[in-house]
Structure formats: structure tokens, C-alpha cells
Short mmCIF file of all heavy atoms in Angstrom, two decimals:
data_model
loop_
_atom_site.label_atom_id
_atom_site.label_comp_id
_atom_site.label_asym_id
_atom_site.label_seq_id
_atom_site.Cartn_x
_atom_site.Cartn_y
_atom_site.Cartn_z
N GLY A 16 7.72 -13.45 -10.55
CA GLY A 16 6.95 -12.23 -10.59
C GLY A 16 6.50 -11.77 -9.12
O GLY A 16 5.65 -10.90 -8.99
N ALA A 17 7.03 -12.44 -8.11
CA ALA A 17 6.48 -12.22 -6.69
C ALA A 17 6.68 -10.80 -6.30
O ALA A 17 5.79 -10.22 -5.64
CB ALA A 17 7.14 -13.20 -5.80
N ILE A 18 7.84 -10.18 -6.56
CA ILE A 18 8.14 -8.81 -6.08
C ILE A 18 7.12 -7.88 -6.70
O ILE A 18 6.57 -6.98 -6.06
CB ILE A 18 9.59 -8.45 -6.35
CG1 ILE A 18 10.59 -9.31 -5.51
CG2 ILE A 18 9.78 -6.95 -6.01
CD1 ILE A 18 12.03 -9.09 -5.89
N ASP A 19 6.94 -8.01 -7.98
CA ASP A 19 6.04 -7.08 -8.73
C ASP A 19 4.57 -7.32 -8.19
O ASP A 19 3.79 -6.30 -8.09
CB ASP A 19 6.09 -7.38 -10.25
CG ASP A 19 7.42 -6.85 -10.87
OD1 ASP A 19 8.09 -5.99 -10.23
OD2 ASP A 19 7.74 -7.37 -11.90
N ARG A 20 4.18 -8.56 -7.95
CA ARG A 20 2.87 -8.78 -7.43
C ARG A 20 2.70 -8.11 -6.05
O ARG A 20 1.63 -7.46 -5.80
CB ARG A 20 2.59 -10.25 -7.33
CG ARG A 20 2.37 -10.97 -8.64
CD ARG A 20 1.60 -12.32 -8.40
NE ARG A 20 2.17 -13.09 -7.29
CZ ARG A 20 3.18 -13.94 -7.38
NH1 ARG A 20 3.83 -14.09 -8.59
NH2 ARG A 20 3.55 -14.67 -6.38
N MET A 21 3.69 -8.22 -5.19
CA MET A 21 3.54 -7.62 -3.88
C MET A 21 3.48 -6.06 -3.99
O MET A 21 2.73 -5.43 -3.24
CB MET A 21 4.68 -8.09 -2.92
CG MET A 21 4.60 -9.51 -2.57
SD MET A 21 5.84 -9.94 -1.21
CE MET A 21 7.32 -10.05 -2.19
N ALA A 22 4.25 -5.55 -4.88
CA ALA A 22 4.33 -4.05 -5.14
C ALA A 22 2.89 -3.63 -5.61
O ALA A 22 2.39 -2.61 -5.10
CB ALA A 22 5.33 -3.68 -6.03
N ALA A 23 2.26 -4.37 -6.44
CA ALA A 23 0.97 -4.06 -7.00
C ALA A 23 -0.10 -4.13 -5.87
O ALA A 23 -1.03 -3.28 -5.74
CB ALA A 23 0.62 -4.95 -8.14
N LEU A 24 0.07 -5.16 -5.01
CA LEU A 24 -0.90 -5.34 -3.90
C LEU A 24 -0.74 -4.24 -2.91
O LEU A 24 -1.72 -3.77 -2.38
CB LEU A 24 -0.68 -6.77 -3.32
CG LEU A 24 -1.16 -7.92 -4.07
CD1 LEU A 24 -0.79 -9.25 -3.36
CD2 LEU A 24 -2.66 -7.90 -4.25
N ARG A 25 0.50 -3.77 -2.61
CA ARG A 25 0.69 -2.76 -1.72
C ARG A 25 0.06 -1.42 -2.23
O ARG A 25 -0.62 -0.66 -1.52
CB ARG A 25 2.17 -2.50 -1.50
CG ARG A 25 2.59 -1.49 -0.47
CD ARG A 25 4.11 -1.31 -0.43
NE ARG A 25 4.53 -0.44 0.64
CZ ARG A 25 4.55 0.90 0.58
NH1 ARG A 25 4.18 1.46 -0.60
NH2 ARG A 25 4.90 1.65 1.55
N ALA A 26 0.18 -1.16 -3.47
CA ALA A 26 -0.40 0.04 -4.18
C ALA A 26 -1.90 -0.04 -4.12
O ALA A 26 -2.63 0.94 -3.89
CB ALA A 26 0.14 0.13 -5.60
N HIS A 27 -2.35 -1.28 -4.37
CA HIS A 27 -3.91 -1.54 -4.42
C HIS A 27 -4.40 -1.25 -2.92
O HIS A 27 -5.46 -0.61 -2.71
CB HIS A 27 -4.14 -2.93 -4.76
CG HIS A 27 -5.59 -3.31 -4.80
ND1 HIS A 27 -6.54 -2.72 -5.66
CD2 HIS A 27 -6.27 -4.15 -4.08
CE1 HIS A 27 -7.71 -3.28 -5.42
NE2 HIS A 27 -7.65 -4.13 -4.37
N ALA A 28 -3.69 -1.71 -1.94
CA ALA A 28 -4.13 -1.48 -0.52
C ALA A 28 -4.10 -0.02 -0.18
O ALA A 28 -5.03 0.48 0.36
CB ALA A 28 -3.14 -2.22 0.37
N LEU A 29 -3.05 0.65 -0.55
CA LEU A 29 -2.94 2.13 -0.32
C LEU A 29 -4.17 2.92 -1.01
O LEU A 29 -4.75 3.76 -0.26
CB LEU A 29 -1.66 2.60 -0.77
CG LEU A 29 -0.53 2.73 0.23
CD1 LEU A 29 0.72 3.25 -0.43
CD2 LEU A 29 -0.92 3.66 1.38
N GLU A 30 -4.48 2.56 -2.16
CA GLU A 30 -5.54 3.24 -2.89
C GLU A 30 -6.84 3.00 -2.13
O GLU A 30 -7.61 3.98 -1.88
CB GLU A 30 -5.64 2.81 -4.33
CG GLU A 30 -6.76 3.41 -5.12
CD GLU A 30 -6.86 2.92 -6.55
OE1 GLU A 30 -6.28 1.83 -6.83
OE2 GLU A 30 -7.66 3.49 -7.34
N GLY A 31 -7.14 1.76 -1.71
CA GLY A 31 -8.33 1.40 -1.08
C GLY A 31 -8.38 2.12 0.29
O GLY A 31 -9.49 2.64 0.66
N LEU A 32 -7.29 2.15 1.03
CA LEU A 32 -7.33 2.71 2.41
C LEU A 32 -7.50 4.24 2.25
O LEU A 32 -8.17 4.78 3.14
CB LEU A 32 -5.92 2.35 3.06
CG LEU A 32 -5.75 0.95 3.45
CD1 LEU A 32 -4.32 0.72 3.91
CD2 LEU A 32 -6.77 0.56 4.54
N ARG A 33 -6.87 4.85 1.32
CA ARG A 33 -7.01 6.32 1.25
C ARG A 33 -8.43 6.75 0.84
O ARG A 33 -8.90 7.78 1.27
CB ARG A 33 -6.09 6.90 0.19
CG ARG A 33 -4.58 6.94 0.83
CD ARG A 33 -3.60 7.28 -0.28
NE ARG A 33 -2.26 7.66 0.35
CZ ARG A 33 -1.15 7.45 -0.13
NH1 ARG A 33 -1.07 6.93 -1.35
NH2 ARG A 33 -0.01 7.77 0.51
N ASN A 34 -9.13 5.89 0.16
CA ASN A 34 -10.47 6.17 -0.21
C ASN A 34 -11.45 5.94 1.00
O ASN A 34 -12.44 6.66 1.23
CB ASN A 34 -10.96 5.29 -1.34
CG ASN A 34 -10.32 5.77 -2.69
OD1 ASN A 34 -9.99 6.88 -2.86
ND2 ASN A 34 -10.14 4.79 -3.62
N ALA A 35 -11.13 4.86 1.72
CA ALA A 35 -11.97 4.44 2.84
C ALA A 35 -11.69 5.26 4.15
O ALA A 35 -12.56 5.45 4.93
CB ALA A 35 -11.86 2.97 3.12
N VAL A 36 -10.45 5.64 4.37
CA VAL A 36 -10.04 6.27 5.55
C VAL A 36 -9.16 7.53 5.23
O VAL A 36 -7.95 7.51 5.21
CB VAL A 36 -9.30 5.38 6.49
CG1 VAL A 36 -9.00 6.02 7.79
CG2 VAL A 36 -9.91 3.95 6.66
N PRO A 37 -9.85 8.64 4.93
CA PRO A 37 -9.14 9.86 4.47
C PRO A 37 -8.00 10.28 5.33
O PRO A 37 -7.00 10.90 4.86
CB PRO A 37 -10.25 10.92 4.30
CG PRO A 37 -11.49 10.12 4.18
CD PRO A 37 -11.25 8.81 4.99
N GLU A 38 -8.18 10.17 6.71
CA GLU A 38 -7.16 10.72 7.61
C GLU A 38 -6.00 9.73 7.80
O GLU A 38 -5.11 10.00 8.61
CB GLU A 38 -7.79 11.03 8.95
CG GLU A 38 -8.27 9.85 9.77
CD GLU A 38 -9.79 9.63 9.52
OE1 GLU A 38 -10.28 9.69 8.34
OE2 GLU A 38 -10.50 9.37 10.53
N LEU A 39 -5.94 8.62 7.05
CA LEU A 39 -4.87 7.70 7.14
C LEU A 39 -3.46 8.34 6.87
O LEU A 39 -3.30 9.16 6.00
CB LEU A 39 -5.08 6.53 6.13
CG LEU A 39 -4.11 5.46 6.16
CD1 LEU A 39 -4.61 4.36 7.17
CD2 LEU A 39 -3.94 4.80 4.84
N VAL A 40 -2.49 8.01 7.60
CA VAL A 40 -1.14 8.47 7.46
C VAL A 40 -0.20 7.32 7.09
O VAL A 40 -0.31 6.22 7.71
CB VAL A 40 -0.56 9.13 8.80
CG1 VAL A 40 0.93 9.49 8.63
CG2 VAL A 40 -1.41 10.35 9.13
N VAL A 41 0.56 7.47 6.10
CA VAL A 41 1.53 6.49 5.65
C VAL A 41 2.92 6.76 6.18
O VAL A 41 3.35 7.86 6.06
CB VAL A 41 1.58 6.38 4.04
CG1 VAL A 41 2.56 5.30 3.67
CG2 VAL A 41 0.19 6.14 3.56
N ASN A 42 3.51 5.88 6.89
CA ASN A 42 4.84 6.05 7.52
C ASN A 42 5.89 5.48 6.60
O ASN A 42 6.01 4.25 6.54
CB ASN A 42 4.90 5.34 8.87
CG ASN A 42 3.76 5.79 9.78
OD1 ASN A 42 3.38 6.92 9.84
ND2 ASN A 42 3.21 4.85 10.50
N GLY A 43 6.69 6.33 6.02
CA GLY A 43 7.83 5.77 5.18
C GLY A 43 7.31 5.14 3.94
O GLY A 43 6.18 5.05 3.64
N CYS A 44 8.25 4.66 3.18
CA CYS A 44 7.95 3.97 1.91
C CYS A 44 9.20 3.18 1.50
O CYS A 44 10.20 3.38 2.02
CB CYS A 44 7.51 4.89 0.93
SG CYS A 44 8.77 6.11 0.38
N GLY A 45 8.98 2.35 0.55
CA GLY A 45 10.17 1.63 -0.01
C GLY A 45 9.85 0.16 -0.47
O GLY A 45 9.36 0.04 -1.68
N ALA A 46 10.08 -0.81 0.35
CA ALA A 46 9.98 -2.23 -0.05
C ALA A 46 8.58 -2.61 -0.46
O ALA A 46 7.59 -2.06 0.16
CB ALA A 46 10.56 -3.12 1.04
N ALA A 47 8.42 -3.52 -1.31
CA ALA A 47 7.12 -3.90 -1.84
C ALA A 47 6.25 -4.59 -0.87
O ALA A 47 4.98 -4.54 -1.06
CB ALA A 47 7.32 -4.82 -3.10
N HIS A 48 6.86 -5.21 0.19
CA HIS A 48 6.00 -6.14 1.05
C HIS A 48 5.61 -5.50 2.37
O HIS A 48 4.93 -6.21 3.11
CB HIS A 48 6.77 -7.41 1.24
CG HIS A 48 8.08 -7.28 2.01
ND1 HIS A 48 9.15 -6.54 1.53
CD2 HIS A 48 8.41 -7.69 3.21
CE1 HIS A 48 10.10 -6.61 2.46
NE2 HIS A 48 9.71 -7.30 3.45
N ILE A 49 5.98 -4.29 2.71
CA ILE A 49 5.71 -3.66 4.01
C ILE A 49 4.98 -2.39 3.82
O ILE A 49 5.41 -1.55 3.04
CB ILE A 49 7.01 -3.49 4.80
CG1 ILE A 49 7.60 -4.82 5.10
CG2 ILE A 49 6.65 -2.79 6.02
CD1 ILE A 49 8.92 -4.71 5.87
N LEU A 50 3.93 -2.19 4.53
CA LEU A 50 3.10 -0.97 4.55
C LEU A 50 2.84 -0.59 5.98
O LEU A 50 2.15 -1.35 6.73
CB LEU A 50 1.84 -1.24 3.83
CG LEU A 50 0.80 -0.13 3.78
CD1 LEU A 50 1.46 1.18 3.13
CD2 LEU A 50 -0.42 -0.50 3.02
#
């Protein structure tokens, strides 16, 4: 389940960051383990 866990953590991080830092820019997307 490691890949799915990393993908969920990446999504969790993004949600928290967008709420905390509205001007945040996300560069690219794709693999579960890199943000």
C-alpha cells in the first residue's frame, strides 16, 4: 500500500498548504512521492 499512502499524503499536504498559504504555486504534477 506504499504508493497509495504516499499519494494520499501528497494530497493531504497540498490541501493543508493551499489553506495556509493561498499564494502557493504548484509546479507540475504526477508521481505520488514528489511535490
Side-chain angles (χ1 to χ4, degrees):
I18 296 173
D19 289 341
R20 287 201 312 275
M21 288 189 289
L24 288 174
R25 185 183 185 277
H27 179 68
L29 265 176
E30 181 182 10
L32 289 170
R33 282 173 168 150
N34 289 332
V36 187
E38 65 266 44
L39 186 88
V40 173
V41 180
N42 305 319
C44 61
H48 65 295
I49 297 178
L50 175 61

